[in-house]
Amino acid sequence: MTFTVSTAPNGVTIVSVDGQLIVANRNELKDKVLKALEAGESKFVLDFLSTEYIDSSGLGVLVSVSKKIREAGGELRLAGLNEDLRMLFELTKLDTLFKICDKADEAVQSF
Amino acid sequence: MVIVPLRLCVRRPGRVNPRGPEEGLLMTITVPSELEIVEQTVDIVARYCLACGLSVRAVRFNLRVALSEALANAIVYGNRLDPGKRVHVTLRRHGEGVAVSVQDQGSGFDPRCIPDPRHPDYLERSEGRGLLLIKELVDHLAFNEKGNSVCMTLRRA
């Protein structure tokens, strides 16, 4: 499992999640996003193109970082969710809470 | 009895062939209260569920999510990560499919007291979605009276 942080030409911070986002590693993602937020970044895309699975605690950390970003005046987009992951968002109604794009490029350009 | 590395204790009575028509106990797994072992436990149960005739989709998604959540709940909220406590997983085959039970050694809880995380008041909470996912993804769900054992049934397609 790795979280890769990069910056798009328009200044959007992209965090790619490779593998699983689960109870065992969720705080690592939270720490990376909050660190970027504290450094002054405000526009974030979380790219799940290479993510196999997100458990309920992973969903919870997404809710948590979303609130932190919003409270700091920033914005968050999610991208690259496969069919299974989208279903998890729909079942929990979190699809109503997040802005979800098909691809990371699309999400980056949407800011 | 077969001992699998990483301290999982898997017992297969051997009387029921998962590919055959018989009903009964297929397997029990004793799991330590460590989150790192959830995935391996799910993999073992998933292989047996496939052999029992559940669809690949039901095993790959429904079982995987529901069992992962049930195990995490048992380890974190039931056993409170106490290394001296175990979680017991039981897999039974019956006429319609398979039943997977997850029992911890905690004091139990009342599932009726868990609020619906989809309610607007709770949507932005960071916890409390595991039970909802289990309910949504299995065909039948039952708790014991104490509330420390959950039985999830998945039917064959």
Side-chain angles (χ1 to χ4, degrees):
Chain A
M1 156 56 68
T2 54
F3 302 105
T4 307
V5 182
S6 59
T7 306
N10 64 354
V12 174
T13 301
I14 305 168
V15 183
S16 301
V17 180
D18 186 6
Q20 303 182 88
L21 177 59
I22 55 175
V23 64
N25 65 10
R26 60 178 172 163
N27 285 331
E28 190 182 340
L29 174 68
K30 187 174 183 178
D31 290 345
K32 285 192 184 294
V33 172
L34 295 186
K35 190 177 173 185
L37 196 63
E38 286 167 11
E41 304 299 338
S42 62
K43 298 172 182 174
F44 291 85
V45 170
L46 297 184
D47 185 5
F48 296 100
L49 183 64
S50 301
T51 310
E52 303 157 3
Y53 178 53
I54 303 175
D55 71 5
S56 64
S57 65
L59 294 173
V61 90
L62 296 180
V63 172
S64 175
V65 298
S66 171
K67 283 172 69 175
K68 295 276 188 188
I69 291 170
R70 196 171 63 240
E71 286 165 6
E75 287 185 69
L76 170 68
R77 310 268 196 274
L78 309 183
L81 296 164
N82 65 31
E83 183 187 348
D84 290 348
L85 298 182
R86 274 189 183 262
M87 180 172 284
L88 294 181
F89 279 79
E90 289 166 9
L91 289 174
T92 53
K93 288 204 186 314
L94 288 179
D95 58 328
T96 64
L97 195 65
F98 291 100
K99 292 180 179 173
I100 299 174
C101 301
D102 286 341
K103 295 180 180 176
D105 288 352
E106 180 191 331
V108 168
Q109 295 305 319
S110 71
F111 283 99
Chain B
M1 183 175 75
V2 176
I3 302 293
V4 176
L6 290 177
R7 301 174 309 284
L8 275 181
C9 179
V10 182
R11 293 186 174 87
R12 303 179 182 100
R15 290 186 294 273
V16 179
N17 175 4
R19 298 181 190 281
E22 307 98 327
E23 300 191 356
L25 180 64
L26 285 171
M27 176 199 306
T28 64
I29 309 176
T30 304
V31 184
S33 296
E34 298 169 15
L35 290 168
E36 293 75 14
I37 216 157
V38 167
E39 191 173 358
Q40 185 184 356
T41 307
V42 173
D43 284 345
I44 292 170
V45 175
R47 284 201 295 272
Y48 262 70
C49 287
L50 282 171
C52 285
L54 293 190
S55 71
V56 173
R57 168 72 178 172
V59 172
R60 188 174 61 88
F61 183 63
N62 300 60
L63 172 80
R64 184 184 186 191
V65 173
L67 182 54
S68 296
E69 296 294 344
L71 284 167
N73 283 348
I75 290 169
V76 175
Y77 299 112
N79 288 350
R80 300 190 179 278
L81 295 166
D82 182 342
K85 292 182 177 177
R86 298 286 182 269
V87 176
H88 300 282
V89 179
T90 304
L91 178 64
R92 291 179 182 279
R93 180 194 171 103
H94 59 74
E96 298 180 328
V98 297
V100 185
S101 294
V102 176
Q103 180 163 10
D104 60 58
Q105 295 182 296
S107 53
F109 76 109
D110 184 348
R112 295 168 298 185
C113 294
I114 305 296
D116 187 339
R118 296 169 297 189
H119 189 281
D121 290 347
Y122 304 116
L123 195 59
E124 290 204 82
R125 283 194 177 181
S126 60
E127 307 216 336
R129 295 181 179 83
L131 182 58
L132 169 70
L133 291 176
I134 295 170
K135 282 179 184 171
E136 292 286 340
L137 293 173
V138 303
D139 294 306
H140 184 260
L141 182 66
F143 288 86
N144 66 353
E145 192 172 346
K146 184 178 177 183
N148 70 333
S149 178
V150 57
C151 181
M152 304 171 287
T153 300
L154 290 114
R155 298 192 181 99
R156 285 190 292 273

Coordinates of all heavy atoms in Angstrom, one line a residue, chain A residues 20 23-24 26 52-57 59-61 63-64 67 70 83-85 87-88 91-94 96-97, chain B residues 35-36 39 57 60-61 64-66 68-69 72-73 76 117-118 123-130 132-133 136-137:
Chain A
Q20 N -5.2 -0.8 -0.8 CA -6.4 -0.7 0.0 C -6.4 0.5 0.9 O -5.3 0.9 1.4 CB -6.5 -2.0 0.8 CG -6.5 -3.3 0.0 CD -6.7 -4.5 0.9 OE1 -7.9 -4.8 1.2 NE2 -5.7 -5.0 1.4
V23 N -8.6 0.1 7.8 CA -8.3 0.6 9.2 C -6.8 0.6 9.5 O -6.4 1.5 10.3 CB -9.1 -0.3 10.2 CG1 -8.6 -1.7 10.2 CG2 -9.1 0.3 11.6
A24 N -6.1 -0.3 8.9 CA -4.7 -0.4 9.2 C -3.8 0.8 8.7 O -2.7 1.0 9.2 CB -4.1 -1.7 8.8
R26 N -5.4 3.9 7.3 CA -6.2 5.1 7.0 C -5.5 6.4 7.6 O -5.6 7.5 7.0 CB -7.6 5.0 7.6 CG -7.6 4.8 9.1 CD -9.0 4.7 9.7 NE -8.9 4.3 11.1 CZ -9.9 4.4 11.9 NH1 -11.0 5.0 11.5 NH2 -9.8 4.1 13.2
E52 N -8.1 -1.2 -4.7 CA -9.0 -2.4 -4.8 C -10.2 -2.3 -3.8 O -11.2 -2.8 -4.1 CB -8.2 -3.6 -4.4 CG -7.0 -3.9 -5.3 CD -5.9 -4.8 -4.6 OE1 -6.2 -5.2 -3.5 OE2 -4.9 -4.9 -5.2
Y53 N -9.9 -1.7 -2.6 CA -10.9 -1.8 -1.6 C -10.8 -0.7 -0.6 O -9.7 -0.2 -0.2 CB -10.7 -3.2 -0.9 CG -11.6 -3.4 0.3 CD1 -13.0 -3.3 0.2 CD2 -11.1 -3.8 1.5 CE1 -13.8 -3.6 1.2 CE2 -11.9 -4.0 2.6 CZ -13.3 -3.9 2.4 OH -14.1 -4.1 3.5
I54 N -11.9 -0.2 -0.1 CA -12.0 0.8 1.0 C -13.0 0.2 2.0 O -14.1 -0.1 1.7 CB -12.5 2.1 0.5 CG1 -11.6 2.7 -0.7 CG2 -12.6 3.2 1.6 CD1 -12.2 4.0 -1.3
D55 N -12.5 0.1 3.2 CA -13.4 -0.4 4.3 C -14.1 0.8 4.9 O -13.9 2.0 4.6 CB -12.7 -1.3 5.3 CG -11.8 -0.6 6.2 OD1 -11.7 0.7 6.2 OD2 -11.1 -1.3 7.0
S56 N -15.0 0.5 5.9 CA -15.8 1.6 6.5 C -15.0 2.6 7.2 O -15.3 3.8 7.3 CB -16.9 1.0 7.4 OG -16.2 0.3 8.5
S57 N -13.8 2.1 7.8 CA -13.0 3.1 8.5 C -12.3 4.0 7.4 O -11.9 5.1 7.7 CB -12.0 2.4 9.4 OG -11.1 1.6 8.7
L59 N -13.7 4.8 4.6 CA -14.7 5.8 4.2 C -14.8 6.9 5.3 O -14.9 8.1 5.0 CB -16.1 5.1 4.1 CG -16.2 4.1 3.0 CD1 -17.6 3.4 3.1 CD2 -16.2 4.8 1.6
G60 N -14.6 6.5 6.5 CA -14.7 7.5 7.6 C -13.6 8.5 7.6 O -13.8 9.7 7.8
V61 N -12.4 8.0 7.2 CA -11.3 9.0 7.1 C -11.5 9.9 6.0 O -11.0 11.1 6.0 CB -9.9 8.2 7.1 CG1 -9.5 7.9 5.7 CG2 -8.8 9.0 7.8
V63 N -14.4 11.1 5.0 CA -15.3 12.1 5.6 C -14.5 13.1 6.5 O -14.7 14.3 6.4 CB -16.4 11.4 6.4 CG1 -17.3 12.4 7.2 CG2 -17.3 10.5 5.5
S64 N -13.6 12.6 7.3 CA -12.9 13.4 8.2 C -12.0 14.4 7.5 O -12.0 15.6 7.8 CB -12.0 12.5 9.1 OG -11.2 13.2 9.9
K67 N -14.0 17.2 5.8 CA -14.4 18.3 6.7 C -13.2 19.2 7.0 O -13.4 20.4 7.0 CB -14.9 17.7 8.0 CG -16.3 17.1 7.9 CD -16.7 16.3 9.1 CE -16.9 17.2 10.4 NZ -17.4 16.4 11.5
R70 N -12.6 21.4 4.0 CA -13.7 22.4 3.8 C -13.6 23.5 4.9 O -13.7 24.7 4.6 CB -15.1 21.7 3.9 CG -16.2 22.5 3.4 CD -17.5 21.7 3.3 NE -17.9 21.3 4.6 CZ -18.1 20.0 5.0 NH1 -17.9 19.0 4.1 NH2 -18.5 19.7 6.2
E83 N -16.4 0.1 -9.9 CA -17.8 -0.2 -9.7 C -18.1 -0.6 -8.3 O -19.1 -0.1 -7.7 CB -18.2 -1.4 -10.6 CG -19.7 -1.7 -10.6 CD -20.0 -3.0 -11.4 OE1 -19.1 -3.4 -12.2 OE2 -21.1 -3.5 -11.2
D84 N -17.2 -1.4 -7.7 CA -17.5 -1.9 -6.3 C -17.3 -0.7 -5.3 O -18.2 -0.6 -4.4 CB -16.4 -2.9 -5.9 CG -16.7 -4.3 -6.6 OD1 -17.7 -4.4 -7.2 OD2 -15.8 -5.1 -6.6
L85 N -16.3 0.1 -5.5 CA -16.1 1.2 -4.6 C -17.3 2.2 -4.7 O -17.7 2.8 -3.7 CB -14.8 1.9 -4.9 CG -13.5 1.0 -4.7 CD1 -12.3 1.8 -4.9 CD2 -13.5 0.4 -3.3
M87 N -20.2 1.5 -5.4 CA -21.4 0.9 -4.7 C -21.3 1.2 -3.2 O -22.3 1.5 -2.5 CB -21.5 -0.6 -5.0 CG -22.7 -1.2 -4.2 SD -22.9 -2.9 -4.7 CE -23.7 -2.7 -6.3
L88 N -20.1 1.1 -2.6 CA -19.9 1.4 -1.2 C -20.3 2.9 -0.9 O -21.0 3.1 0.1 CB -18.5 1.2 -0.8 CG -17.9 -0.2 -0.8 CD1 -16.5 -0.3 -0.4 CD2 -18.8 -1.1 0.0
L91 N -24.2 2.9 -1.2 CA -24.9 2.2 0.0 C -24.9 3.1 1.2 O -25.8 3.1 2.0 CB -24.2 0.9 0.3 CG -24.4 -0.2 -0.8 CD1 -23.5 -1.4 -0.4 CD2 -25.9 -0.6 -0.9
T92 N -23.8 3.9 1.4 CA -23.7 4.7 2.6 C -24.1 6.1 2.4 O -24.0 6.9 3.3 CB -22.2 4.7 3.0 OG1 -21.4 5.1 1.9 CG2 -21.7 3.4 3.5
K93 N -24.6 6.4 1.2 CA -25.0 7.7 0.8 C -23.9 8.8 0.8 O -24.1 10.0 0.8 CB -26.2 8.2 1.6 CG -27.5 7.5 1.3 CD -28.7 8.4 1.7 CE -30.0 7.7 1.5 NZ -30.3 7.0 0.3
L94 N -22.7 8.3 0.8 CA -21.6 9.2 0.8 C -21.4 9.8 -0.6 O -20.6 10.8 -0.8 CB -20.3 8.5 1.3 CG -20.2 8.2 2.8 CD1 -18.9 7.6 3.1 CD2 -20.4 9.5 3.6
T96 N -23.5 11.4 -1.9 CA -24.2 12.7 -1.8 C -23.3 13.8 -1.1 O -23.6 14.9 -1.2 CB -25.5 12.6 -1.1 OG1 -25.2 12.2 0.3 CG2 -26.4 11.6 -1.7
L97 N -22.2 13.3 -0.5 CA -21.4 14.2 0.3 C -20.2 14.6 -0.5 O -19.6 15.7 -0.2 CB -20.9 13.4 1.6 CG -20.3 14.2 2.7 CD1 -21.4 15.2 3.3 CD2 -19.8 13.3 3.8
Chain B
L35 N -5.8 -6.6 13.7 CA -6.4 -6.1 12.4 C -5.6 -6.6 11.2 O -6.2 -6.8 10.1 CB -6.5 -4.6 12.4 CG -7.6 -4.0 13.4 CD1 -7.4 -2.5 13.5 CD2 -9.0 -4.4 12.9
E36 N -4.3 -6.8 11.4 CA -3.5 -7.2 10.3 C -3.8 -8.6 9.7 O -3.4 -9.0 8.6 CB -2.0 -7.2 10.7 CG -1.4 -5.9 11.0 CD -1.9 -5.3 12.3 OE1 -2.4 -6.1 13.1 OE2 -1.7 -4.1 12.5
E39 N -7.4 -9.8 6.6 CA -7.4 -10.1 5.1 C -7.2 -11.6 4.9 O -7.8 -12.2 4.1 CB -6.4 -9.2 4.4 CG -6.5 -9.3 2.9 CD -5.5 -8.3 2.2 OE1 -4.8 -7.6 2.9 OE2 -5.5 -8.4 1.0
R57 N -18.9 -12.9 -7.8 CA -19.3 -11.5 -7.4 C -19.6 -11.5 -5.9 O -19.2 -10.6 -5.2 CB -20.4 -11.0 -8.3 CG -21.1 -9.8 -7.8 CD -20.2 -8.6 -8.0 NE -20.9 -7.4 -7.6 CZ -20.3 -6.2 -7.6 NH1 -19.1 -6.0 -7.9 NH2 -21.0 -5.1 -7.2
R60 N -16.4 -12.1 -4.0 CA -15.3 -11.0 -4.1 C -15.8 -9.7 -3.5 O -14.9 -9.0 -3.0 CB -15.1 -10.8 -5.6 CG -13.9 -9.9 -5.9 CD -13.6 -9.9 -7.4 NE -14.7 -9.4 -8.2 CZ -14.9 -8.1 -8.4 NH1 -14.0 -7.2 -8.0 NH2 -15.9 -7.7 -9.2
F61 N -17.1 -9.4 -3.6 CA -17.5 -8.1 -3.0 C -18.3 -8.3 -1.8 O -17.9 -7.8 -0.7 CB -18.3 -7.4 -4.1 CG -18.7 -6.0 -3.7 CD1 -17.8 -5.0 -3.4 CD2 -20.1 -5.7 -3.6 CE1 -18.2 -3.8 -3.0 CE2 -20.5 -4.4 -3.2 CZ -19.5 -3.5 -2.9
R64 N -16.5 -10.4 1.0 CA -15.3 -9.7 1.4 C -15.5 -8.5 2.3 O -14.9 -8.3 3.4 CB -14.5 -9.3 0.2 CG -13.1 -8.7 0.5 CD -12.4 -8.3 -0.7 NE -11.1 -7.9 -0.4 CZ -10.3 -7.2 -1.3 NH1 -10.8 -7.0 -2.5 NH2 -9.1 -6.8 -1.0
V65 N -16.4 -7.7 1.8 CA -16.7 -6.4 2.6 C -17.4 -6.8 3.9 O -17.0 -6.3 5.0 CB -17.7 -5.5 1.8 CG1 -18.1 -4.3 2.6 CG2 -16.9 -5.0 0.5
A66 N -18.4 -7.6 3.9 CA -19.2 -7.9 5.1 C -18.3 -8.6 6.1 O -18.4 -8.3 7.3 CB -20.4 -8.8 4.8
S68 N -15.0 -8.6 6.4 CA -14.0 -7.7 6.8 C -14.5 -6.8 7.9 O -13.9 -6.5 8.9 CB -13.4 -6.9 5.6 OG -12.8 -7.7 4.7
E69 N -15.7 -6.3 7.6 CA -16.3 -5.3 8.6 C -16.6 -6.1 9.9 O -16.4 -5.5 11.0 CB -17.6 -4.7 8.0 CG -17.3 -3.8 6.8 CD -16.5 -2.5 7.1 OE1 -16.4 -2.2 8.3 OE2 -16.0 -1.9 6.1
A72 N -13.4 -6.7 11.8 CA -12.8 -5.5 12.4 C -13.7 -5.0 13.6 O -13.1 -4.6 14.6 CB -12.8 -4.4 11.3
N73 N -15.0 -5.1 13.5 CA -15.8 -4.8 14.6 C -15.6 -5.6 15.8 O -15.5 -5.2 16.9 CB -17.3 -4.9 14.2 CG -17.8 -3.8 13.4 OD1 -17.1 -2.7 13.2 ND2 -19.0 -3.9 12.8
V76 N -11.9 -4.7 17.2 CA -11.8 -3.4 17.7 C -12.8 -3.1 18.8 O -12.4 -2.7 19.9 CB -11.9 -2.3 16.6 CG1 -11.9 -0.9 17.2 CG2 -10.8 -2.5 15.6
P117 N -26.2 5.6 9.6 CA -25.2 6.6 9.2 C -25.6 7.3 8.0 O -24.9 8.3 7.6 CB -23.9 5.7 9.0 CG -24.4 4.4 8.6 CD -25.7 4.2 9.4
R118 N -26.7 6.9 7.3 CA -27.1 7.6 6.1 C -28.0 8.8 6.5 O -28.3 9.7 5.7 CB -27.9 6.7 5.2 CG -27.1 5.6 4.7 CD -27.9 4.5 4.0 NE -28.8 3.9 5.0 CZ -29.6 2.8 4.7 NH1 -29.5 2.3 3.5 NH2 -30.4 2.3 5.6
L123 N -24.3 11.7 8.7 CA -23.6 11.4 7.5 C -22.2 11.9 7.5 O -21.3 11.2 6.9 CB -24.3 12.2 6.3 CG -24.0 11.8 4.9 CD1 -24.2 10.3 4.6 CD2 -24.7 12.6 3.9
E124 N -21.9 12.9 8.3 CA -20.5 13.3 8.4 C -19.7 12.8 9.6 O -18.6 13.3 9.9 CB -20.4 14.9 8.4 CG -20.9 15.4 7.1 CD -20.3 16.8 6.8 OE1 -19.1 17.0 6.4 OE2 -21.1 17.8 7.1
R125 N -20.3 11.8 10.2 CA -19.5 11.1 11.2 C -18.5 10.2 10.6 O -18.7 9.6 9.5 CB -20.4 10.2 12.1 CG -21.3 11.0 13.1 CD -21.9 10.1 14.1 NE -22.6 10.8 15.1 CZ -23.2 10.3 16.1 NH1 -23.2 8.9 16.3 NH2 -23.9 11.0 17.0
S126 N -17.3 10.1 11.3 CA -16.2 9.3 10.7 C -16.4 7.8 11.0 O -15.6 7.0 10.4 CB -14.9 9.8 11.1 OG -14.8 9.7 12.5
E127 N -17.3 7.4 11.8 CA -17.4 6.0 12.2 C -18.9 5.5 12.1 O -19.8 6.4 11.9 CB -16.9 5.7 13.6 CG -15.5 6.3 13.8 CD -14.6 5.4 14.6 OE1 -15.2 4.7 15.5 OE2 -13.4 5.5 14.5
G128 N -19.1 4.3 12.2 CA -20.5 3.7 12.3 C -21.1 3.2 11.0 O -22.3 3.1 10.9
R129 N -20.3 3.0 10.0 CA -20.8 2.5 8.7 C -20.6 1.0 8.5 O -21.2 0.4 7.6 CB -20.2 3.2 7.5 CG -20.5 4.7 7.5 CD -19.9 5.4 6.3 NE -20.3 6.8 6.4 CZ -19.7 7.7 7.1 NH1 -18.6 7.4 7.9 NH2 -20.1 9.0 7.2
G130 N -19.9 0.3 9.4 CA -19.6 -1.1 9.2 C -20.8 -2.0 9.2 O -21.0 -2.8 8.3
L132 N -23.9 -1.1 8.7 CA -24.8 -0.8 7.6 C -24.3 -1.6 6.4 O -25.1 -2.2 5.6 CB -24.7 0.7 7.3 CG -25.4 1.1 5.9 CD1 -26.9 0.9 6.0 CD2 -25.0 2.5 5.6
L133 N -23.0 -1.6 6.1 CA -22.5 -2.3 4.9 C -22.8 -3.8 5.0 O -23.2 -4.5 4.1 CB -21.0 -2.1 4.8 CG -20.6 -0.7 4.4 CD1 -19.1 -0.5 4.3 CD2 -21.2 -0.3 3.0
E136 N -26.5 -4.4 4.3 CA -26.8 -4.2 2.9 C -26.3 -5.3 2.0 O -26.8 -5.5 0.9 CB -26.2 -2.9 2.4 CG -26.9 -1.7 3.0 CD -28.3 -1.4 2.5 OE1 -28.6 -1.9 1.4 OE2 -29.1 -0.8 3.1
L137 N -25.2 -6.0 2.4 CA -24.5 -6.9 1.5 C -24.7 -8.4 1.7 O -24.3 -9.2 0.9 CB -23.0 -6.6 1.5 CG -22.6 -5.2 0.9 CD1 -21.1 -4.9 1.1 CD2 -23.0 -5.1 -0.5

